[in-house]
Amino acid sequence: MTARTTPPFRADHVGSFLRPPYLLEAREKKARGEITAEQLRAVEDQAITEIVQFQRDVGMQAITDGEFRRTYFHIDFLEQLGGVATEIPLSVQQADGSVKLAPPVIKVTGKVRHVKDIQRADFEYLKSQVEQHAPGCTPKVTIPSPTMLHFRGGRAGIDRVAYPELDPVFYDDVAKAYGEELQSLYDAGCRYVQMDDTNLAYLCDEKMREAARQRGDDPNELPHRYAQFINKVVALKPAGMTLAMHLCRGNFKSTYAAEGNYEPVAEALLSEMNLDAYFMEYDDERSGDFRPLRFLKPGKIVVLGLVTTKFGRLENKDDLKRRIDEAAKYAPLDQLCLSPQCGFSSTVHGNLIAVEDQRRKLALVVEVAREVWGT
């Protein structure tokens, strides 16, 4: 097996980490007006420096800021695009007592455009800390997938005055906005970006597919439309930048929102999209088998999310190796990598695991990747 010197790496991760208590306390103080935005940012800076060192110490080559400046992985970014309005999602208690996150309302209220650099300042701080505390590692930025501007609301969620027809103008405008953000990041030195996408994974779940039908969309056609949509973004990414996608079935306080085999979206995802890599959740039976990986094109990478971030129990190393061998029946081993299935804290609330579990799981990913791929 060849070592990977460019992302994604044999041992990688999705990006978000549990927020330290002092950062959560500072966020609450800011919400109450007890500290300024600048004071909060200084606390975030400290926490990010520590999480950079944490990732270096555990052996990761890809380094994120833990999404420590965000409340939600998607809203905080999308609401900074021109023409987009969002509402805070609500926590809903289920009949069994569990808590789930109700989908946020994301609406396109006007022409979508890139009105400012969204992640550049955050990346520049991350890059400075990686250079200082984790030299030789690669800083990575995570952003929500552009499909989120369509899937949640469908046609009804997109202003008809701004977009009487969606194709091609809406998709072109969104792609242009994303392309400008990617160029901004590239100019700041970023070479690794991951787009987090729940929608394609949701289209593997029959309940979600029916909801799409109720909104007037064909769930069989949507994956192919989204492939064309994503490819518009890929066409605008700077040369030399790795652009990956993480597929997520929901990750709020250790709960999930969808389940189902990847088969309904596999061809569109792995054969039609021109992305460099895919982070795919495979931590339990909700994800189905590995047969959909047969669609993976040469030169593309799938990062197998075999280690769960939802629960603290540590996976068995031999079991992980067996699962990697099973996946390698459908896609070449050299086109596979390993990671946790999702982030540890897709929202500020965090999953219901301990900080030490977070470390143990990442260390396991590094150890197994070293033994499987020799790197």
Side-chain angles (χ1 to χ4, degrees):
M1 287 293 100
T2 57
R4 289 194 59 80
T5 57
T6 57
F9 301 101
R10 295 301 185 193
D12 216 306
H13 64 104
V14 171
S16 65
F17 290 101
L18 298 171
R19 277 56 157 182
Y22 72 83
L23 176 56
L24 295 174
E25 181 182 354
R27 293 179 65 92
E28 290 174 0
K29 286 183 176 179
K30 171 62 174 61
R32 294 194 298 264
E34 296 173 9
I35 63 173
T36 65
E38 292 74 19
Q39 289 172 315
L40 173 59
R41 192 167 184 87
V43 177
E44 292 169 345
D45 286 351
Q46 177 187 342
I48 290 167
T49 297
E50 292 173 0
I51 202 67
V52 166
Q53 294 171 327
F54 167 83
Q55 292 167 81
R56 175 209 62 194
D57 292 346
V58 85
M60 286 289 156
Q61 292 174 269
I63 308 288
T64 72
D65 65 4
E67 300 182 11
F68 281 0
R69 302 194 197 276
R70 297 188 193 171
T71 303
Y72 299 94
F73 82 93
H74 47 356
I75 290 177
D76 299 54
F77 179 93
L78 294 173
E79 66 185 6
Q80 296 188 68
L81 292 171
V84 177
T86 65
E87 295 179 8
I88 301 298
L90 300 175
S91 298
V92 178
Q93 187 162 2
Q94 307 296 298
D96 61 3
S98 65
V99 177
K100 289 192 176 183
L101 195 67
V105 176
I106 302 172
K107 291 186 176 181
V108 175
T109 58
K111 288 286 189 179
V112 178
R113 59 204 186 282
H114 187 257
V115 294
K116 62 179 179 178
D117 296 335
I118 300 174
Q119 292 293 142
R120 181 165 181 157
D122 295 350
F123 171 77
E124 288 173 338
Y125 182 77
L126 172 64
K127 181 172 179 282
S128 74
Q129 298 308 294
V130 170
E131 291 172 346
Q132 181 176 350
H133 300 289
C137 294
T138 300
K140 170 183 175 179
V141 172
T142 61
I143 61 176
S145 170
T147 64
M148 304 197 79
L149 292 178
H150 175 270
F151 183 77
R152 294 294 173 84
R155 169 72 262 196
I158 301 172
D159 184 75
R160 289 185 178 274
V161 174
Y163 296 106
E165 302 292 336
L166 298 186
D167 196 10
V169 182
F170 167 73
Y171 300 111
D172 287 346
D173 283 356
V174 175
K176 182 173 183 291
Y178 267 73
E180 290 175 7
E181 178 67 11
L182 294 179
Q183 186 64 55
S184 165
L185 287 167
Y186 183 88
D187 292 344
C190 179
R191 299 295 181 268
Y192 189 11
V193 175
Q194 170 189 298
M195 299 189 298
D196 294 316
D197 191 300
T198 59
N199 307 318
L200 283 155
Y202 282 10
L203 285 169
C204 300
D205 187 306
E206 184 50 43
K207 297 189 302 295
M208 300 290 187
R209 291 169 65 83
E210 179 57 30
R213 293 186 191 99
Q214 295 300 317
R215 291 193 298 270
D217 287 308
D218 179 353
N220 294 319
E221 181 268 339
L222 269 183
H224 303 284
R225 192 196 320 172
Y226 286 164
Q228 295 174 355
F229 189 11
I230 294 297
N231 286 346
K232 289 176 182 286
V233 175
V234 175
L236 297 174
K237 84 174 176 76
M241 174 182 279
T242 295
L243 188 59
M245 174 181 284
H246 169 238
L247 286 93
C248 176
R249 293 175 170 80
N251 190 52
F252 176 69
K253 293 185 177 181
S254 297
T255 64
Y256 63 89
E259 55 190 43
N261 191 293
Y262 286 107
E263 199 67 32
V265 303
E267 187 169 11
L269 177 72
L270 301 175
S271 289
E272 296 175 17
M273 289 188 187
N274 297 326
L275 292 161
D276 299 304
Y278 310 87
F279 285 72
M280 299 178 68
E281 293 192 337
Y282 269 115
D283 60 322
D284 62 21
E285 64 279 357
R286 289 184 301 116
S287 303
D289 59 29
F290 294 113
R291 290 189 68 252
L293 299 184
R294 70 190 184 279
F295 289 108
L296 184 65
K297 291 193 295 187
K300 308 301 182 182
I301 301 294
V302 163
V303 186
L304 299 170
L306 301 180
V307 175
T308 190
T309 64
K310 296 184 183 299
F311 307 104
R313 181 185 59 82
L314 193 65
E315 287 78 1
N316 179 278
K317 185 166 64 172
D318 290 334
D319 288 344
L320 294 178
K321 290 180 179 180
R322 280 191 287 270
R323 297 204 70 203
I324 293 170
D325 287 342
E326 181 67 22
K329 295 177 182 178
Y330 301 99
L333 183 61
D334 202 41
Q335 288 179 248
L336 301 176
C337 298
L338 179 64
S339 76
Q341 121 278 348
C342 196
F344 292 89
S345 187
S346 297
T347 73
V348 72
H349 315 84
N351 280 347
L352 305 180
I353 66 169
V355 172
E356 185 53 36
D357 293 331
Q358 185 174 250
R359 179 184 294 274
R360 291 165 63 234
K361 284 176 177 283
L362 288 178
L364 178 63
V365 168
V366 171
E367 182 180 356
V368 171
R370 186 177 295 123
E371 294 180 8
V372 171
W373 289 280
T375 180

